């Protein structure tokens, strides 16, 4: 009869650990989003050229892929997360300046920001409330993401606006899947490092925001 | 074609090459979802598509 007690204690301690990872992830995510907003505003104020976006995204991705995993389990990892998110935010500056210059640019930026917030909070609440295991999405999402990257390479040379619109729409769907997948991994103990969890969720938010800007920019432009 | 497009294309190809082994690994090792699992994914995605359509109407 007493044999059940260690199991209950183990489950309770595992649930506490999961809650701690979730809390730390959302706390760090909020701070990095605020920091990104600050660096984006700074970049707009400095009137950075369009190539800043490309350099920042490549730099941010390279640091996220090759540097962050080495420091993710130390306090230096938090600094690197701020470096990556600050860099990506800084790259957003020229993009936001470009949209702000459109006749309804303010509306496009506000709606993209609001839409991104609604999508992220809605999907996170759904994953947290249902506690469903979305680990089955892993392969599907990764292959889908690779196919989108291939289509994006093709569209650099083809430059078809409709294809660009389609790519942005698919990116939003895939990133939405990644929000469910990543949140479910934290809930079920698949991700115990809040630094890596934060950067994963940040990337999904960043991609959804950029894709929404592109869709609303194309659809809201009368020319 | 300007140099920014060439760098963008090269960066994307680099990401594809780096991510390909991870994608292959996840394809092989991901658990299979039931139809009910897939519905739990498809329904929120449909809601998001509707939300994006609403945003397009609003802009």
């Amino acid at each position: 009869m007493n044999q059940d007690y260690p199991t209950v204690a183990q489950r309770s301690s595992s649930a506490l650990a999961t809650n701690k990872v979730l809390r730390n992830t959302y706390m760090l995510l909020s701070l990095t989003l605020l920091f990104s907003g600050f660096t984006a505003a700074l970049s707009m104020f400095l009137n950075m050229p369009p190539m800043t976006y490309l350099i920042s995204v490549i730099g941010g991705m390279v640091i996220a892929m090759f540097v962050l995993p080495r420091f993710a389990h130390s306090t230096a990892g938090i600094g690197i997360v701020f470096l990556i998110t600050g860099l990506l935010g800084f790259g957003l500056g020229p993009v936001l300046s470009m949209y702000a210059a459109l006749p309804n640019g303010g509306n496009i930026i506000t709606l993209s920001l609001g839409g991104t917030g609604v999508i992220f909070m809605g999907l996170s609440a759904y994953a947290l409330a249902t506690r469903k295991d979305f680990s089955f999405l892993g392969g599907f999402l990764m292959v889908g993401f690779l196919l989108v990257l291939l289509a994006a390479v093709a569209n650099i040379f083809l430059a078809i606006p409709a294809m660009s619109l389609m790519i942005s729409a698919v990116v939003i769907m895939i990133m939405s899947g990644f929000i469910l997948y990543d949140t479910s991994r934290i809930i079920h103990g698949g991700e115990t490092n809040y630094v890596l969890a934060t950067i994963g969720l940040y990337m999904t938010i960043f991609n959804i925001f950029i894709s929404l800007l592109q869709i609303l920019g194309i659809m809201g432009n009368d020319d | 074609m300007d140099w920014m497009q060439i760098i963008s294309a090269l960066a994307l190809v680099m990401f594809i090459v780096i991510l390909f082994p991870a994608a292959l690994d996840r394809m092989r090792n991901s658990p299979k979802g039931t139809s009910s699992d897939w519905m739990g994914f498809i329904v929120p995605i449909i809601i998001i598509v509707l939300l994006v359509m609403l945003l397009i109407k609003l802009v």
Side-chain angles (χ1 to χ4, degrees), chain A residues 50-51 54-55 57-58 61-62 65-66 104 107-108 111-112 114-116 118-119 123 126 132-143 145-146 149-150 152-153 156-157 159 172-174 176-178 180-181 185 212 215-216 219-220, chain B residues 1-34 36-49 51-59:
Chain A
M51 67 176 167
L54 186 63
I55 295 166
V57 168
I58 294 174
M61 292 304 288
V62 167
M65 281 180 181
F66 301 107
N104 56 348
N107 199 17
I108 291 171
L111 285 174
S112 302
T116 306
V118 169
I119 291 171
L123 289 174
Y126 174 70
K132 282 186 180 180
D133 184 4
F134 288 102
S135 57
F136 69 95
L137 287 175
F140 170 77
L141 292 174
M142 280 300 280
V143 171
F145 188 54
L146 283 187
L149 289 180
L150 274 174
V153 174
I156 287 173
F157 301 102
I172 291 175
M173 286 188 253
I174 290 175
S176 300
F178 271 117
L180 293 174
Y181 177 78
R185 259 170 61 84
L212 266 180
I215 291 174
L216 299 183
M219 300 304 285
Chain B
M1 171 162 275
D2 71 88
W3 65 273
M4 269 180 69
Q5 285 175 304
I6 296 168
I7 292 176
S8 302
L10 286 174
L12 286 173
V13 170
M14 186 189 82
F15 291 140
I16 292 168
V17 171
I18 292 167
L19 291 175
F20 188 72
L24 214 61
D25 181 59
R26 278 203 201 169
M27 268 283 281
R28 286 178 182 151
N29 298 319
S30 285
K32 296 275 174 280
T34 61
S36 139
D37 288 335
W38 281 101
M39 282 309 286
F41 167 65
I42 291 166
V43 171
I45 294 299
I46 291 171
I47 294 170
I48 284 165
V49 171
L51 173 74
V52 173
M53 286 165 72
L54 175 72
L55 291 174
I56 291 169
K57 285 267 181 201
L58 288 174
V59 77

Side-chain angles (χ1 to χ4, degrees), chain A:
Chain A
M1 209 187 224
N2 288 342
Q3 282 173 343
D4 288 342
Y5 290 127
T7 316
V8 172
Q10 276 167 6
R11 275 186 198 160
S12 164
S13 101
S14 159
L16 277 174
T18 302
N19 284 341
K20 193 180 171 193
V21 176
L22 259 179
R23 198 177 54 238
N24 288 342
T25 302
Y26 287 137
M27 176 72 82
L28 187 57
L29 188 61
S30 313
L31 292 174
T32 52
L33 287 171
L34 281 173
F35 186 59
S36 282
F38 168 73
T39 56
L42 180 71
S43 170
M44 285 174 86
F45 176 74
L46 294 173
N47 209 9
M48 297 302 289
M51 67 176 167
T52 310
Y53 176 69
L54 186 63
I55 295 166
S56 300
V57 168
I58 294 174
M61 292 304 288
V62 167
I63 297 170
M65 281 180 181
F66 301 107
V67 182
L68 185 64
R70 293 182 185 189
F71 296 95
H73 296 277
S74 65
T75 44
I78 297 172
I80 294 169
V81 168
F82 276 99
L83 174 69
I84 296 166
T85 55
L87 203 58
L88 291 174
F90 196 75
L92 265 184
V95 177
L96 292 175
S97 297
M98 188 188 80
Y99 281 100
L102 293 174
N104 56 348
N107 199 17
I108 291 171
I109 294 171
T110 312
L111 285 174
S112 302
L113 209 56
T116 306
V118 169
I119 291 171
F120 177 72
M121 284 193 273
L123 289 174
S124 300
Y126 174 70
L128 288 169
T130 60
R131 300 188 76 83
K132 282 186 180 180
D133 184 4
F134 288 102
S135 57
F136 69 95
L137 287 175
F140 170 77
L141 292 174
M142 280 300 280
V143 171
F145 188 54
L146 283 187
L147 290 176
V148 163
L149 289 180
L150 274 174
V153 174
N155 205 36
I156 287 173
F157 301 102
L158 300 171
I160 305 168
M163 191 167 166
S164 171
L165 203 64
M166 183 61 88
I167 289 169
S168 296
V170 175
V171 166
I172 291 175
M173 286 188 253
I174 290 175
M175 291 302 140
S176 300
F178 271 117
I179 292 174
L180 293 174
Y181 177 78
D182 288 343
T183 310
S184 151
R185 259 170 61 84
I186 299 171
I187 296 168
H188 295 96
E191 181 60 85
T192 52
N193 186 308
Y194 68 91
V195 170
L196 294 176
T198 300
I199 207 71
L201 288 174
Y202 178 91
M203 291 293 185
T204 60
I205 293 172
F206 184 85
N207 282 317
I208 290 174
F209 178 61
I210 286 285
S211 302
L212 266 180
L213 266 181
Q214 200 159 15
I215 291 174
L216 299 183
I218 293 172
M219 300 304 285
N221 196 354
D222 294 334
D223 300 330

